[in-house]
Structures are given as structure tokens and as C-alpha cells.
Amino acid sequence: MSAAPTAPAAQAAGAAPTATAPAGAPAKAPADERAPTAVPEGRERRPLFDNAKFAAVALVVCAHTWMPLVGADRTIAAAVLTVAAFAMPVFVTLCGWFAQPRPGRPVVDGRRLVAQVALPYVVFQVLYNVVGMVLERRAAAFSLLEPRWLTWFLLSLFVWRLTVPVWTALRHPLAVAVLVAAGSGAVQELPAELALSRTLAFLPWFVLGLVLRPHHLRVLRRPAARRCAPAVLAAVFAVLWLVAPKLLNPGWVEYTDSAAQLHVPYPVWLAVRAALGLLSLAAAAAFTALLPDRRTRWTALGAASLYVYLLHGLPLKAVQASGIYHLRVLQHAYTALPVLGACALTLAVVLALPATRRLTAPLVQPRTGPLLLPERKVGRGEA
């Protein structure tokens, strides 16, 4: 595009519940892809998810760090496109997984939406706009409904989670979500409000998370899948290296433009989007297959993924404004990728540390105070 597992903001980005699943616990597969009315709590807590969250968000930081140099070197461009192909899709899919209905909780939990998504969005929307005006040295009006920089994700997440009852009621929700995303390219121009272009473009990944079940993940844990994963990622990188010059338009890379805005016929837009979607699916599966499904030194950092995502834009914008990207040594892939990549990974780790979370909690987890009614238990019939 979140290391105390109980942090509310962590749950907004897909932090797992506190129950722990026994290793190797069997899971029943549904007859179709429709999400059931409730997902047992015990299945959800796996180190794989925290590992995936931190690895994905750390790579997002890397891609954003490399992004200003995509025009300087084709290999850098291919690296950014490759990370973009799977990092945010994996992150969004995990959000869908943890939005699956669970016993004892409403399908759409208004308290969680306000505390974990809406309030942080308002805080960072204001913060990023103020920082932007300072860096650009000019005042500008802004709207809370037009997300700036990284805040599009929170606004999209708010919309996705509001629509969970729709997707859980459909027989084939993933197919419908794909059709909705495909149809968005036919619109002349999507409004900037609600980050509508990205909300629709990433919708299938959120719905994929809603319909995934443990037996789907077990396929990726097979030795054959793990052996093939590096080759799949290498193939995706090779393909994107070949087409990189044609995909450097931000409208393609950032999923923000329709066919008309990109000045291509809708069938071409649809074909490119479909090809990118298949590449993203293959890369996301390979990436997940490579991740360990055991606790590691960085597993706990996965619960801080939302902190890393929301906070990393502030230092990156300051670095970009400093002019450091004009240094000649950073104009080549063999220097820019490792040097900036190491800096980005270090930044991700620092932002996920407990000390950083304590300092920045008022921003990422603002107190709701008198804004919300006291929490009450939800009966089985109300969920």
C-alpha cells in the first residue's frame, strides 16, 4: 500500500484476532465461492498473515522510494512495476480475509469502521494536505473526499468494508467484482471523490480475500508451489521489463485512469488490465508461497502494517523535496535499487517498532472519546 496484536488500527489493515489456530487444523471447504455468514475465529491467527502484511507493506515502501527514478533506468521501472503487481493486491486481499463475518460481531461493525478507518483517514488527509502545502510553498483548498497521497487506501477500505454484506449475499461475488472493475474503464472519467478509480480497480482483490478459505492457502504451501515461486516472480519481472516503457504512465501504474483518460480504445484498456491482473495474481501467489508460515523475528511487525503504510509517506516526501534523487549515483539500477531499498526497509522496520507506535498512536489510533456510544455485546441474532 498495523507490534501489539490487539491494536485497533492493526485490525483495520487486517490484524488477526487473538485466538490461535492449532497447527494443521482441518478446515471444511464450501461448495462454492460464496462467503458464509460466519468464519470461525480459530482459523484466522497464523504467522503467515503477519509475515505477509509486513513483507507486503515493506515492499510498498521500497516501490515508493524507487518511484521517482522510474524514468531514469528501465530496470528500476521494472522493479517498481513488479512490486506494484503484487504488494498492494496482497495487502488488500488480507483486508478482505479479515473482513469475513465472524461470530459475535456485526457483518459491518460501525465502531471499528469509525475508530480504525474513518478517523485515521481524516487525520492523515489533513496532515498530508498541510505537509503538501508546506513542501510546495503554497496554500490550496482541499476536500476531505478527495484523498491525497496514501490516504486513498483508507477511503477505499471504508467503502469496501461497507459493501461486505453485498458480497456475502452473492453466489459468485468474485466474478461480479471483476466485472465491476472491468466496467470502470468504460467510463469517460471517474470522479476523484472516494478514490473511486482505485476503489473499483482493487475491489476484486478485497472480494478475493472475502472468498478465500484455508484450503486455498494450503495449495500455496505445497513444496511444488514453493519451488516454482522464484521462477514465477522472475518471469513476471522479465515480462514487465519488456513492457516497462509503455506502462510508465501513472494512470496504468496507479490504477487511476479510464480508457478515455489514457487515450486508448476500451478493448485495449481491458486487455492490458486483464493481462496485468493475471500477472498480479501469479506474482501474488508466488510471493505468498515463498513466505514462512512460522513465527520469525519480523512476524510481530506485521501487526503494525497500517502504521508503516500511513507514516512512510511523510519522510519520503521530505526526501523527494530535498533533491537527493538528482544525484548521479542514484541514476543507475545497480546503485539505486540496493541503496534506496535498504533505506526503505530500514524505514519500514523503524515505523513498525513499539516505540514508534507509542509516539504516533494519536495519529494512527486517535481516541474516539465521546464520539462513539459505549461498546455493547452483539447477540447472535444481530450479527
Side-chain angles (χ1 to χ4, degrees), residues 2 7-15 95 112 115-117 120 153-154 157 161 306:
S2 103
Q11 296 169 5
C95 291
R112 291 172 184 265
Q116 301 170 8
V117 182
F153 172 72
L154 287 177
L157 182 60
R161 285 174 58 166
L306 189 61

Side-chain angles (χ1 to χ4, degrees), residues 63-64 94 145 159 172 174 184 192 264 307 312 316 319 337 342-343 369:
H64 287 166
L94 287 169
L145 294 181
V159 174
H172 301 292
L174 185 55
S184 67
V264 297
Y307 281 79
H312 82 271
L316 285 192
V319 169
L337 290 177
C343 293

Side-chain angles (χ1 to χ4, degrees), residues 175-251:
V176 174
V178 170
L179 289 175
V180 170
S184 67
V187 178
Q188 186 71 16
E189 183 177 354
L190 289 169
E193 288 80 6
L194 300 179
L196 201 54
S197 57
R198 282 168 166 164
T199 300
L200 296 179
F202 284 98
L203 176 63
W205 295 102
F206 181 80
V207 177
L208 175 63
L210 284 176
V211 303
L212 278 178
R213 295 295 173 262
H215 68 278
H216 297 133
L217 297 178
R218 284 199 292 272
V219 174
L220 299 179
R221 311 314 301 165
R222 293 175 181 171
R226 306 193 74 178
R227 284 195 300 269
C228 292
V232 171
L233 287 175
V236 170
F237 177 84
V239 170
L240 292 174
W241 188 89
L242 291 173
V243 301
K246 299 181 182 298
L247 291 179
L248 291 186
N249 186 315

Side-chain angles (χ1 to χ4, degrees), residues 90-219:
V90 167
F91 203 57
V92 173
T93 301
L94 287 169
C95 291
W97 173 276
F98 290 106
Q100 293 178 15
R102 297 202 295 270
R105 199 173 77 183
V107 176
V108 177
D109 192 327
R111 290 182 60 85
R112 291 172 184 265
L113 270 180
V114 171
Q116 301 170 8
V117 182
L119 282 181
Y121 169 76
V122 172
V123 169
F124 278 90
Q125 175 72 346
V126 172
L127 181 59
Y128 273 130
N129 273 280
V130 170
V131 170
M133 285 186 272
V134 170
L135 294 178
E136 296 165 7
R137 299 180 182 178
R138 64 181 180 87
F142 68 90
S143 167
L144 282 178
L145 294 181
E146 294 184 22
R148 177 131 184 184
W149 295 344
L150 305 174
T151 57
W152 72 266
F153 172 72
L154 287 177
L155 199 52
S156 296
L157 182 60
F158 189 86
V159 174
W160 294 330
R161 285 174 58 166
L162 279 179
T163 62
V164 167
V166 175
W167 306 113
T168 56
L170 295 175
R171 185 175 294 276
H172 301 292
L174 185 55
V176 174
V178 170
L179 289 175
V180 170
S184 67
V187 178
Q188 186 71 16
E189 183 177 354
L190 289 169
E193 288 80 6
L194 300 179
L196 201 54
S197 57
R198 282 168 166 164
T199 300
L200 296 179
F202 284 98
L203 176 63
W205 295 102
F206 181 80
V207 177
L208 175 63
L210 284 176
V211 303
L212 278 178
R213 295 295 173 262
H215 68 278
H216 297 133
L217 297 178
R218 284 199 292 272
V219 174

